[in-house]
Amino acid sequence: MPELPDVEIFKKYMDATSLHHKINDVAVIETKVLEGVSARKLRARLVDRSFESTRRHGKYLFARLEERSWLVFHFGMTGALKYYKTESDHVKYVRVRFFFSNGYDLVYISQRMLGRIRLVPFAEEFIGSNEWGPDALAIDYGRFAEAVRKSRGPIKTTLMNQKLIAGIGNIYADEILFQSRLHPTTPGNKMKPQAIENLFHNVKTGLKQAIQWRADPGNFPKGHLLPHRNQGADCPVCGQKLKTVKVAGRTAYFCPRCQAR
DNA sequence: AGTACCACCTGACGGC
DNA sequence: TGCCGTCAGGTGGTAC
């Protein structure tokens, strides 16, 4: 699931639970989730240290250990973090476990193992080397509008392009386009300035609201697409049957009436 | 440069 | 019940 709002919730969760506790041990249950670092090195760099602060860029979460040392969490489609008292709970798909000196663990969960954990010296440098665009909550209007105006492909693809704007995935792209009353295949370079402004506004408010509602569709008030984003559902605004279309290999849900081309 | 497709993984679900 | 195809909220590589 994890897109920007979900990862922001993981960040808040980690801030509230996992900072400043000494790490007693690290257990790598599945080495496949480690990228560019061995289980041995990870353990050596973490044991006796603690997570001091976190930051987020797009769908990536960074936890600072010390100078020149950041742990990078990426969650893929099925990742999450959970903090709980050691052995108090049986959690499935735990791939890496951090044992704190206070008797609690932070675990990295990843059912499909499409996410990765890395260890990098500088968060900023890592973000730059991946050529990610500005975080969707930080991008300014000028840069956003330029990216949209220059794109010939479907607007949904542009919203999800991490090199242009970091943090929006399949689900929130659908919600943002629904709020903007834009068909997912609308070409960016065909959009009027008014429509681009409106889309920009909905990127910001859509993501901020999702964070307020803890990225849980169950908390979304009426008039939002997410809780209805499944086969055969009706538009929460006009009642029309929602439709789907493949955009860049992903399923886009939209209302054919509210989001007419 | 921009876009499409596949591979990476596991599991859930529907049809037969 | 069991098997099989399809699909799932992400990303990176390759091929046009």
Side-chain angles (χ1 to χ4, degrees), chain A residues 188-219:
Chain A
N189 61 2
K190 295 277 165 60
M191 287 171 60
K192 296 199 173 107
Q194 182 75 57
I196 299 176
E197 270 180 53
N198 185 44
L199 178 62
F200 178 74
H201 170 79
N202 284 315
V203 165
K204 302 287 182 175
T205 52
L207 296 173
K208 282 186 210 158
Q209 287 178 330
I211 292 165
Q212 251 180 302
W213 301 325
R214 308 205 65 77
D216 178 355
N219 294 335

PDB file of all heavy atoms in Angstrom, chain A residues 188-219:
ATOM      1  N   GLY A 188      -1.116  15.772 -20.313  1.00  0.00           N
ATOM      2  CA  GLY A 188      -0.748  16.961 -19.550  1.00  0.00           C
ATOM      3  C   GLY A 188      -0.638  18.209 -20.415  1.00  0.00           C
ATOM      4  O   GLY A 188      -1.079  19.282 -20.027  1.00  0.00           O
ATOM      5  N   ASN A 189      -0.067  18.052 -21.616  1.00  0.00           N
ATOM      6  CA  ASN A 189       0.158  19.226 -22.468  1.00  0.00           C
ATOM      7  C   ASN A 189      -1.129  19.749 -23.124  1.00  0.00           C
ATOM      8  O   ASN A 189      -1.109  20.743 -23.826  1.00  0.00           O
ATOM      9  CB  ASN A 189       1.231  18.945 -23.524  1.00  0.00           C
ATOM     10  CG  ASN A 189       0.845  17.811 -24.456  1.00  0.00           C
ATOM     11  OD1 ASN A 189      -0.246  17.241 -24.353  1.00  0.00           O
ATOM     12  ND2 ASN A 189       1.735  17.468 -25.362  1.00  0.00           N
ATOM     13  N   LYS A 190      -2.245  19.057 -22.847  1.00  0.00           N
ATOM     14  CA  LYS A 190      -3.531  19.541 -23.374  1.00  0.00           C
ATOM     15  C   LYS A 190      -4.342  20.235 -22.288  1.00  0.00           C
ATOM     16  O   LYS A 190      -5.446  20.694 -22.530  1.00  0.00           O
ATOM     17  CB  LYS A 190      -4.352  18.362 -23.929  1.00  0.00           C
ATOM     18  CG  LYS A 190      -3.740  17.664 -25.132  1.00  0.00           C
ATOM     19  CD  LYS A 190      -4.079  18.413 -26.416  1.00  0.00           C
ATOM     20  CE  LYS A 190      -3.198  17.970 -27.591  1.00  0.00           C
ATOM     21  NZ  LYS A 190      -3.339  16.534 -27.901  1.00  0.00           N
ATOM     22  N   MET A 191      -3.789  20.288 -21.078  1.00  0.00           N
ATOM     23  CA  MET A 191      -4.551  20.870 -19.967  1.00  0.00           C
ATOM     24  C   MET A 191      -4.457  22.390 -19.939  1.00  0.00           C
ATOM     25  O   MET A 191      -3.403  22.955 -20.171  1.00  0.00           O
ATOM     26  CB  MET A 191      -4.064  20.278 -18.629  1.00  0.00           C
ATOM     27  CG  MET A 191      -4.517  18.834 -18.424  1.00  0.00           C
ATOM     28  SD  MET A 191      -3.750  18.052 -16.988  1.00  0.00           S
ATOM     29  CE  MET A 191      -4.299  19.126 -15.660  1.00  0.00           C
ATOM     30  N   LYS A 192      -5.588  23.009 -19.578  1.00  0.00           N
ATOM     31  CA  LYS A 192      -5.621  24.464 -19.461  1.00  0.00           C
ATOM     32  C   LYS A 192      -4.964  24.870 -18.138  1.00  0.00           C
ATOM     33  O   LYS A 192      -4.986  24.098 -17.178  1.00  0.00           O
ATOM     34  CB  LYS A 192      -7.086  24.952 -19.480  1.00  0.00           C
ATOM     35  CG  LYS A 192      -7.797  24.653 -20.784  1.00  0.00           C
ATOM     36  CD  LYS A 192      -9.040  25.541 -20.929  1.00  0.00           C
ATOM     37  CE  LYS A 192      -9.661  25.374 -22.305  1.00  0.00           C
ATOM     38  NZ  LYS A 192     -10.922  24.601 -22.264  1.00  0.00           N
ATOM     39  N   PRO A 193      -4.423  26.100 -18.080  1.00  0.00           N
ATOM     40  CA  PRO A 193      -3.771  26.572 -16.851  1.00  0.00           C
ATOM     41  C   PRO A 193      -4.664  26.412 -15.618  1.00  0.00           C
ATOM     42  O   PRO A 193      -4.209  26.010 -14.554  1.00  0.00           O
ATOM     43  CB  PRO A 193      -3.505  28.053 -17.137  1.00  0.00           C
ATOM     44  CG  PRO A 193      -3.411  28.141 -18.630  1.00  0.00           C
ATOM     45  CD  PRO A 193      -4.355  27.094 -19.170  1.00  0.00           C
ATOM     46  N   GLN A 194      -5.945  26.688 -15.786  1.00  0.00           N
ATOM     47  CA  GLN A 194      -6.904  26.557 -14.685  1.00  0.00           C
ATOM     48  C   GLN A 194      -6.948  25.117 -14.155  1.00  0.00           C
ATOM     49  O   GLN A 194      -6.977  24.875 -12.951  1.00  0.00           O
ATOM     50  CB  GLN A 194      -8.291  26.971 -15.199  1.00  0.00           C
ATOM     51  CG  GLN A 194      -9.384  26.920 -14.150  1.00  0.00           C
ATOM     52  CD  GLN A 194      -9.293  28.078 -13.182  1.00  0.00           C
ATOM     53  OE1 GLN A 194      -9.313  29.233 -13.595  1.00  0.00           O
ATOM     54  NE2 GLN A 194      -9.148  27.781 -11.904  1.00  0.00           N
ATOM     55  N   ALA A 195      -6.944  24.174 -15.101  1.00  0.00           N
ATOM     56  CA  ALA A 195      -7.004  22.753 -14.733  1.00  0.00           C
ATOM     57  C   ALA A 195      -5.723  22.320 -14.032  1.00  0.00           C
ATOM     58  O   ALA A 195      -5.747  21.498 -13.102  1.00  0.00           O
ATOM     59  CB  ALA A 195      -7.255  21.901 -15.973  1.00  0.00           C
ATOM     60  N   ILE A 196      -4.600  22.867 -14.453  1.00  0.00           N
ATOM     61  CA  ILE A 196      -3.317  22.524 -13.823  1.00  0.00           C
ATOM     62  C   ILE A 196      -3.281  23.069 -12.395  1.00  0.00           C
ATOM     63  O   ILE A 196      -2.863  22.383 -11.463  1.00  0.00           O
ATOM     64  CB  ILE A 196      -2.126  23.060 -14.652  1.00  0.00           C
ATOM     65  CG1 ILE A 196      -2.129  22.433 -16.059  1.00  0.00           C
ATOM     66  CG2 ILE A 196      -0.807  22.757 -13.949  1.00  0.00           C
ATOM     67  CD1 ILE A 196      -1.051  22.954 -16.992  1.00  0.00           C
ATOM     68  N   GLU A 197      -3.766  24.290 -12.228  1.00  0.00           N
ATOM     69  CA  GLU A 197      -3.830  24.887 -10.888  1.00  0.00           C
ATOM     70  C   GLU A 197      -4.715  24.064  -9.964  1.00  0.00           C
ATOM     71  O   GLU A 197      -4.378  23.808  -8.811  1.00  0.00           O
ATOM     72  CB  GLU A 197      -4.412  26.307 -10.962  1.00  0.00           C
ATOM     73  CG  GLU A 197      -3.377  27.381 -11.166  1.00  0.00           C
ATOM     74  CD  GLU A 197      -4.010  28.761 -11.232  1.00  0.00           C
ATOM     75  OE1 GLU A 197      -4.775  29.105 -10.303  1.00  0.00           O
ATOM     76  OE2 GLU A 197      -3.761  29.467 -12.229  1.00  0.00           O
ATOM     77  N   ASN A 198      -5.839  23.658 -10.509  1.00  0.00           N
ATOM     78  CA  ASN A 198      -6.786  22.867  -9.724  1.00  0.00           C
ATOM     79  C   ASN A 198      -6.166  21.523  -9.329  1.00  0.00           C
ATOM     80  O   ASN A 198      -6.304  21.065  -8.193  1.00  0.00           O
ATOM     81  CB  ASN A 198      -8.062  22.661 -10.551  1.00  0.00           C
ATOM     82  CG  ASN A 198      -9.143  21.966  -9.768  1.00  0.00           C
ATOM     83  OD1 ASN A 198      -9.387  22.299  -8.608  1.00  0.00           O
ATOM     84  ND2 ASN A 198      -9.771  20.968 -10.388  1.00  0.00           N
ATOM     85  N   LEU A 199      -5.460  20.904 -10.279  1.00  0.00           N
ATOM     86  CA  LEU A 199      -4.796  19.622 -10.003  1.00  0.00           C
ATOM     87  C   LEU A 199      -3.744  19.796  -8.914  1.00  0.00           C
ATOM     88  O   LEU A 199      -3.649  18.982  -7.990  1.00  0.00           O
ATOM     89  CB  LEU A 199      -4.170  19.085 -11.291  1.00  0.00           C
ATOM     90  CG  LEU A 199      -3.389  17.775 -11.165  1.00  0.00           C
ATOM     91  CD1 LEU A 199      -4.307  16.640 -10.692  1.00  0.00           C
ATOM     92  CD2 LEU A 199      -2.740  17.399 -12.498  1.00  0.00           C
ATOM     93  N   PHE A 200      -2.957  20.862  -9.019  1.00  0.00           N
ATOM     94  CA  PHE A 200      -1.916  21.158  -8.024  1.00  0.00           C
ATOM     95  C   PHE A 200      -2.544  21.273  -6.630  1.00  0.00           C
ATOM     96  O   PHE A 200      -2.065  20.677  -5.662  1.00  0.00           O
ATOM     97  CB  PHE A 200      -1.203  22.459  -8.404  1.00  0.00           C
ATOM     98  CG  PHE A 200      -0.155  22.893  -7.428  1.00  0.00           C
ATOM     99  CD1 PHE A 200       1.062  22.224  -7.367  1.00  0.00           C
ATOM    100  CD2 PHE A 200      -0.363  23.973  -6.580  1.00  0.00           C
ATOM    101  CE1 PHE A 200       2.049  22.623  -6.477  1.00  0.00           C
ATOM    102  CE2 PHE A 200       0.618  24.372  -5.678  1.00  0.00           C
ATOM    103  CZ  PHE A 200       1.819  23.701  -5.631  1.00  0.00           C
ATOM    104  N   HIS A 201      -3.626  22.019  -6.559  1.00  0.00           N
ATOM    105  CA  HIS A 201      -4.335  22.196  -5.292  1.00  0.00           C
ATOM    106  C   HIS A 201      -4.784  20.843  -4.716  1.00  0.00           C
ATOM    107  O   HIS A 201      -4.645  20.577  -3.527  1.00  0.00           O
ATOM    108  CB  HIS A 201      -5.547  23.111  -5.510  1.00  0.00           C
ATOM    109  CG  HIS A 201      -6.477  23.165  -4.343  1.00  0.00           C
ATOM    110  ND1 HIS A 201      -6.216  23.934  -3.229  1.00  0.00           N
ATOM    111  CD2 HIS A 201      -7.654  22.533  -4.117  1.00  0.00           C
ATOM    112  CE1 HIS A 201      -7.191  23.766  -2.353  1.00  0.00           C
ATOM    113  NE2 HIS A 201      -8.087  22.933  -2.865  1.00  0.00           N
ATOM    114  N   ASN A 202      -5.294  19.980  -5.606  1.00  0.00           N
ATOM    115  CA  ASN A 202      -5.792  18.686  -5.135  1.00  0.00           C
ATOM    116  C   ASN A 202      -4.685  17.709  -4.758  1.00  0.00           C
ATOM    117  O   ASN A 202      -4.888  16.822  -3.932  1.00  0.00           O
ATOM    118  CB  ASN A 202      -6.729  18.078  -6.177  1.00  0.00           C
ATOM    119  CG  ASN A 202      -8.082  18.757  -6.178  1.00  0.00           C
ATOM    120  OD1 ASN A 202      -8.655  18.998  -5.128  1.00  0.00           O
ATOM    121  ND2 ASN A 202      -8.580  19.111  -7.358  1.00  0.00           N
ATOM    122  N   VAL A 203      -3.516  17.870  -5.370  1.00  0.00           N
ATOM    123  CA  VAL A 203      -2.358  17.060  -4.951  1.00  0.00           C
ATOM    124  C   VAL A 203      -2.058  17.375  -3.491  1.00  0.00           C
ATOM    125  O   VAL A 203      -1.938  16.480  -2.647  1.00  0.00           O
ATOM    126  CB  VAL A 203      -1.112  17.352  -5.830  1.00  0.00           C
ATOM    127  CG1 VAL A 203       0.157  16.805  -5.174  1.00  0.00           C
ATOM    128  CG2 VAL A 203      -1.288  16.765  -7.230  1.00  0.00           C
ATOM    129  N   LYS A 204      -1.973  18.659  -3.196  1.00  0.00           N
ATOM    130  CA  LYS A 204      -1.616  19.089  -1.831  1.00  0.00           C
ATOM    131  C   LYS A 204      -2.687  18.709  -0.814  1.00  0.00           C
ATOM    132  O   LYS A 204      -2.398  18.073   0.197  1.00  0.00           O
ATOM    133  CB  LYS A 204      -1.402  20.612  -1.798  1.00  0.00           C
ATOM    134  CG  LYS A 204      -0.329  21.110  -2.742  1.00  0.00           C
ATOM    135  CD  LYS A 204       1.051  20.749  -2.250  1.00  0.00           C
ATOM    136  CE  LYS A 204       2.117  21.311  -3.190  1.00  0.00           C
ATOM    137  NZ  LYS A 204       3.473  21.080  -2.679  1.00  0.00           N
ATOM    138  N   THR A 205      -3.925  19.107  -1.101  1.00  0.00           N
ATOM    139  CA  THR A 205      -4.977  18.847  -0.108  1.00  0.00           C
ATOM    140  C   THR A 205      -5.280  17.354  -0.015  1.00  0.00           C
ATOM    141  O   THR A 205      -5.509  16.841   1.068  1.00  0.00           O
ATOM    142  CB  THR A 205      -6.278  19.609  -0.425  1.00  0.00           C
ATOM    143  OG1 THR A 205      -6.641  19.320  -1.771  1.00  0.00           O
ATOM    144  CG2 THR A 205      -6.107  21.096  -0.266  1.00  0.00           C
ATOM    145  N   GLY A 206      -5.253  16.669  -1.161  1.00  0.00           N
ATOM    146  CA  GLY A 206      -5.554  15.233  -1.149  1.00  0.00           C
ATOM    147  C   GLY A 206      -4.588  14.472  -0.252  1.00  0.00           C
ATOM    148  O   GLY A 206      -4.997  13.644   0.566  1.00  0.00           O
ATOM    149  N   LEU A 207      -3.301  14.779  -0.377  1.00  0.00           N
ATOM    150  CA  LEU A 207      -2.291  14.066   0.414  1.00  0.00           C
ATOM    151  C   LEU A 207      -2.346  14.478   1.888  1.00  0.00           C
ATOM    152  O   LEU A 207      -2.252  13.637   2.782  1.00  0.00           O
ATOM    153  CB  LEU A 207      -0.897  14.308  -0.167  1.00  0.00           C
ATOM    154  CG  LEU A 207      -0.672  13.758  -1.586  1.00  0.00           C
ATOM    155  CD1 LEU A 207       0.687  14.199  -2.121  1.00  0.00           C
ATOM    156  CD2 LEU A 207      -0.791  12.238  -1.639  1.00  0.00           C
ATOM    157  N   LYS A 208      -2.541  15.779   2.124  1.00  0.00           N
ATOM    158  CA  LYS A 208      -2.607  16.251   3.523  1.00  0.00           C
ATOM    159  C   LYS A 208      -3.803  15.667   4.253  1.00  0.00           C
ATOM    160  O   LYS A 208      -3.714  15.266   5.414  1.00  0.00           O
ATOM    161  CB  LYS A 208      -2.666  17.786   3.564  1.00  0.00           C
ATOM    162  CG  LYS A 208      -1.319  18.447   3.345  1.00  0.00           C
ATOM    163  CD  LYS A 208      -1.447  19.955   3.558  1.00  0.00           C
ATOM    164  CE  LYS A 208      -0.428  20.690   2.691  1.00  0.00           C
ATOM    165  NZ  LYS A 208      -0.812  22.098   2.443  1.00  0.00           N
ATOM    166  N   GLN A 209      -4.931  15.633   3.547  1.00  0.00           N
ATOM    167  CA  GLN A 209      -6.125  15.061   4.176  1.00  0.00           C
ATOM    168  C   GLN A 209      -5.934  13.577   4.461  1.00  0.00           C
ATOM    169  O   GLN A 209      -6.299  13.088   5.520  1.00  0.00           O
ATOM    170  CB  GLN A 209      -7.338  15.255   3.265  1.00  0.00           C
ATOM    171  CG  GLN A 209      -7.829  16.684   3.222  1.00  0.00           C
ATOM    172  CD  GLN A 209      -9.006  16.862   2.286  1.00  0.00           C
ATOM    173  OE1 GLN A 209      -9.137  16.148   1.298  1.00  0.00           O
ATOM    174  NE2 GLN A 209      -9.866  17.814   2.601  1.00  0.00           N
ATOM    175  N   ALA A 210      -5.328  12.879   3.501  1.00  0.00           N
ATOM    176  CA  ALA A 210      -5.105  11.443   3.693  1.00  0.00           C
ATOM    177  C   ALA A 210      -4.264  11.206   4.946  1.00  0.00           C
ATOM    178  O   ALA A 210      -4.500  10.257   5.703  1.00  0.00           O
ATOM    179  CB  ALA A 210      -4.430  10.843   2.461  1.00  0.00           C
ATOM    180  N   ILE A 211      -3.270  12.069   5.173  1.00  0.00           N
ATOM    181  CA  ILE A 211      -2.422  11.935   6.364  1.00  0.00           C
ATOM    182  C   ILE A 211      -3.266  12.200   7.619  1.00  0.00           C
ATOM    183  O   ILE A 211      -3.194  11.450   8.595  1.00  0.00           O
ATOM    184  CB  ILE A 211      -1.218  12.899   6.290  1.00  0.00           C
ATOM    185  CG1 ILE A 211      -0.268  12.469   5.166  1.00  0.00           C
ATOM    186  CG2 ILE A 211      -0.477  12.951   7.624  1.00  0.00           C
ATOM    187  CD1 ILE A 211       0.744  13.519   4.753  1.00  0.00           C
ATOM    188  N   GLN A 212      -4.104  13.242   7.558  1.00  0.00           N
ATOM    189  CA  GLN A 212      -5.001  13.554   8.676  1.00  0.00           C
ATOM    190  C   GLN A 212      -5.883  12.353   9.017  1.00  0.00           C
ATOM    191  O   GLN A 212      -6.166  12.089  10.175  1.00  0.00           O
ATOM    192  CB  GLN A 212      -5.927  14.687   8.258  1.00  0.00           C
ATOM    193  CG  GLN A 212      -5.670  16.002   8.898  1.00  0.00           C
ATOM    194  CD  GLN A 212      -6.688  17.009   8.376  1.00  0.00           C
ATOM    195  OE1 GLN A 212      -6.780  17.239   7.174  1.00  0.00           O
ATOM    196  NE2 GLN A 212      -7.449  17.582   9.273  1.00  0.00           N
ATOM    197  N   TRP A 213      -6.300  11.644   7.989  1.00  0.00           N
ATOM    198  CA  TRP A 213      -7.177  10.484   8.190  1.00  0.00           C
ATOM    199  C   TRP A 213      -6.375   9.202   8.335  1.00  0.00           C
ATOM    200  O   TRP A 213      -6.874   8.097   8.136  1.00  0.00           O
ATOM    201  CB  TRP A 213      -8.181  10.397   7.020  1.00  0.00           C
ATOM    202  CG  TRP A 213      -9.023  11.623   6.900  1.00  0.00           C
ATOM    203  CD1 TRP A 213      -9.488  12.393   7.926  1.00  0.00           C
ATOM    204  CD2 TRP A 213      -9.470  12.254   5.686  1.00  0.00           C
ATOM    205  NE1 TRP A 213     -10.208  13.461   7.434  1.00  0.00           N
ATOM    206  CE2 TRP A 213     -10.224  13.400   6.062  1.00  0.00           C
ATOM    207  CE3 TRP A 213      -9.340  11.950   4.329  1.00  0.00           C
ATOM    208  CZ2 TRP A 213     -10.821  14.243   5.139  1.00  0.00           C
ATOM    209  CZ3 TRP A 213      -9.925  12.796   3.403  1.00  0.00           C
ATOM    210  CH2 TRP A 213     -10.648  13.926   3.809  1.00  0.00           C
ATOM    211  N   ARG A 214      -5.114   9.364   8.652  1.00  0.00           N
ATOM    212  CA  ARG A 214      -4.198   8.267   8.921  1.00  0.00           C
ATOM    213  C   ARG A 214      -4.099   7.261   7.766  1.00  0.00           C
ATOM    214  O   ARG A 214      -3.889   6.075   7.973  1.00  0.00           O
ATOM    215  CB  ARG A 214      -4.541   7.561  10.235  1.00  0.00           C
ATOM    216  CG  ARG A 214      -4.670   8.526  11.417  1.00  0.00           C
ATOM    217  CD  ARG A 214      -4.412   7.871  12.768  1.00  0.00           C
ATOM    218  NE  ARG A 214      -3.050   7.390  12.926  1.00  0.00           N
ATOM    219  CZ  ARG A 214      -1.991   8.165  13.186  1.00  0.00           C
ATOM    220  NH1 ARG A 214      -2.133   9.452  13.319  1.00  0.00           N
ATOM    221  NH2 ARG A 214      -0.802   7.629  13.318  1.00  0.00           N
ATOM    222  N   ALA A 215      -4.249   7.763   6.551  1.00  0.00           N
ATOM    223  CA  ALA A 215      -4.105   6.952   5.341  1.00  0.00           C
ATOM    224  C   ALA A 215      -4.988   5.712   5.374  1.00  0.00           C
ATOM    225  O   ALA A 215      -4.655   4.684   4.788  1.00  0.00           O
ATOM    226  CB  ALA A 215      -2.630   6.569   5.121  1.00  0.00           C
ATOM    227  N   ASP A 216      -6.110   5.832   6.082  1.00  0.00           N
ATOM    228  CA  ASP A 216      -7.036   4.709   6.210  1.00  0.00           C
ATOM    229  C   ASP A 216      -8.349   5.064   5.505  1.00  0.00           C
ATOM    230  O   ASP A 216      -9.086   5.938   5.978  1.00  0.00           O
ATOM    231  CB  ASP A 216      -7.269   4.448   7.706  1.00  0.00           C
ATOM    232  CG  ASP A 216      -8.264   3.332   7.956  1.00  0.00           C
ATOM    233  OD1 ASP A 216      -8.857   2.814   6.976  1.00  0.00           O
ATOM    234  OD2 ASP A 216      -8.463   2.991   9.135  1.00  0.00           O
ATOM    235  N   PRO A 217      -8.637   4.400   4.370  1.00  0.00           N
ATOM    236  CA  PRO A 217      -9.852   4.729   3.613  1.00  0.00           C
ATOM    237  C   PRO A 217     -11.118   4.665   4.469  1.00  0.00           C
ATOM    238  O   PRO A 217     -12.091   5.365   4.188  1.00  0.00           O
ATOM    239  CB  PRO A 217      -9.880   3.661   2.517  1.00  0.00           C
ATOM    240  CG  PRO A 217      -8.457   3.249   2.349  1.00  0.00           C
ATOM    241  CD  PRO A 217      -7.834   3.361   3.721  1.00  0.00           C
ATOM    242  N   GLY A 218     -11.088   3.869   5.528  1.00  0.00           N
ATOM    243  CA  GLY A 218     -12.230   3.779   6.432  1.00  0.00           C
ATOM    244  C   GLY A 218     -12.524   5.110   7.109  1.00  0.00           C
ATOM    245  O   GLY A 218     -13.654   5.362   7.543  1.00  0.00           O
ATOM    246  N   ASN A 219     -11.525   5.978   7.218  1.00  0.00           N
ATOM    247  CA  ASN A 219     -11.703   7.292   7.863  1.00  0.00           C
ATOM    248  C   ASN A 219     -12.101   8.393   6.886  1.00  0.00           C
ATOM    249  O   ASN A 219     -12.375   9.518   7.306  1.00  0.00           O
ATOM    250  CB  ASN A 219     -10.395   7.728   8.534  1.00  0.00           C
ATOM    251  CG  ASN A 219     -10.002   6.827   9.689  1.00  0.00           C
ATOM    252  OD1 ASN A 219     -10.858   6.176  10.303  1.00  0.00           O
ATOM    253  ND2 ASN A 219      -8.723   6.765   9.988  1.00  0.00           N
TER     254      ASN A 219
END
